[in-house]
Amino acid sequence: MLTDSPGIHHVTAIVGEAQTNVEFHVGVLGLRLVKRTVNYENMLAYHLYYGNGTAEPGTVLTCFPYPNDVPARLGKPQWESVGFAVPPDSLAYWADRLDDHAVEFSGPVERFDERLLHFSDPADTRIELVERDSPVAPWSDGSVPTEHAIRGVHGVTALSANPYATAGMLDTLGFEMVGEEPDTGSEGTRVRYRAGGDHASVVDVLDRSADYGREGIGTIQHVAVRVGGVDELYEWHELFRERDFDVSRVRDRNYFHSLYVREPGGVLFELATEEPGLTVDEDVATLGESLVLPDWFEEDRELIESQLPPLSVPGLN
């Protein structure tokens, strides 16, 4: 039986140089590198995961470093930005920290009674820091003091080619519309949807005029939402097939099972299980410290390691 998604599982972006990516997300944002593996569709490219100390679903940003890819052009239909939760009254700390690292930002601004800062990472991926209470434990051994540290993903924003179709997708997944307000800087609107979980539960859909985008460095490629289990994934697969959506087969991603579906508004969703999780092949104490490969790539480890650039992780090396 299909159940409502409790919220976001992870967010995946296409970025540039792997080392630059690590230095920003670990050294500036204070996230933990919780997994260094490869892109399962291209074993000679990294797939880097950042999250809280235990890499729990709803805290994770994953990145595909493709330094030779073209720069993205933000437009519809794409995921426009990802927002991380930070504790109330911590934006002044973050403004000083971003200044200290020469990161340009704007804000604080208010949206749906929340205060936030806007900025971009070195790949030009749009990021927000949103003040809100969260039950998520932060990475306490990172470069940011615990009282100000990121508490996982807060939400994401979609720039859809058909906001009504994207709203229908969210409704199918169990998200409910909770508000609407003018879209800052445009003549459009921002409509907020929320899942029933206690974290990583917000999706905003922009209804604004925009040119069509181009995937490349700086694109948030997809957003994964949490679903109950593998059996449920096959039920979701059948449902989307019946609706003639563009849906993939169910895939084994080693840390979760998933399927991808591009809804009629053009935005790419992934549905992912919470089990077995990112700690299935590493001890929590040493997450992200070495290259881990799925069994089906182990025989090519020597080739893979010879092709990937070495990584220096702030706080580890």
Side-chain angles (χ1 to χ4, degrees), residues 221-289:
Q221 188 198 45
H222 67 262
V223 170
V225 299
R226 312 196 291 277
V227 297
V230 177
D231 290 343
E232 193 169 327
L233 267 183
Y234 282 100
E235 291 188 54
W236 283 111
H237 180 271
E238 189 62 24
L239 174 69
F240 291 127
R241 269 198 353 137
E242 290 172 356
R243 296 185 180 184
D244 291 326
F245 283 20
D246 179 9
V247 59
S248 76
R249 60 181 171 80
V250 173
R251 295 175 177 173
D252 179 0
R253 294 309 195 191
N254 209 31
Y255 308 112
F256 46 85
H257 285 74
S258 71
L259 63 80
Y260 301 84
V261 56
R262 194 173 295 279
E263 47 83 25
V267 179
L268 183 61
F269 285 78
E270 182 178 10
L271 280 65
T273 61
E274 298 195 41
E275 302 293 338
L278 293 176
T279 59
V280 68
D281 58 359
E282 287 184 290
D283 188 90
V284 171
T286 57
L287 283 172
E289 295 185 9

Side-chain angles (χ1 to χ4, degrees), residues 36-38 43-44 255 281 290-308:
R36 63 175 94 184
T37 184
V38 295
M43 67 179 184
L44 300 183
Y255 308 112
D281 58 359
S290 59
L291 180 69
V292 290
L293 300 173
D295 292 341
W296 58 90
F297 283 161
E298 274 297 345
E299 63 179 311
D300 294 313
R301 176 175 283 274
E302 184 176 354
L303 167 67
I304 292 169
E305 290 183 333
S306 72
Q307 297 298 308
L308 295 175

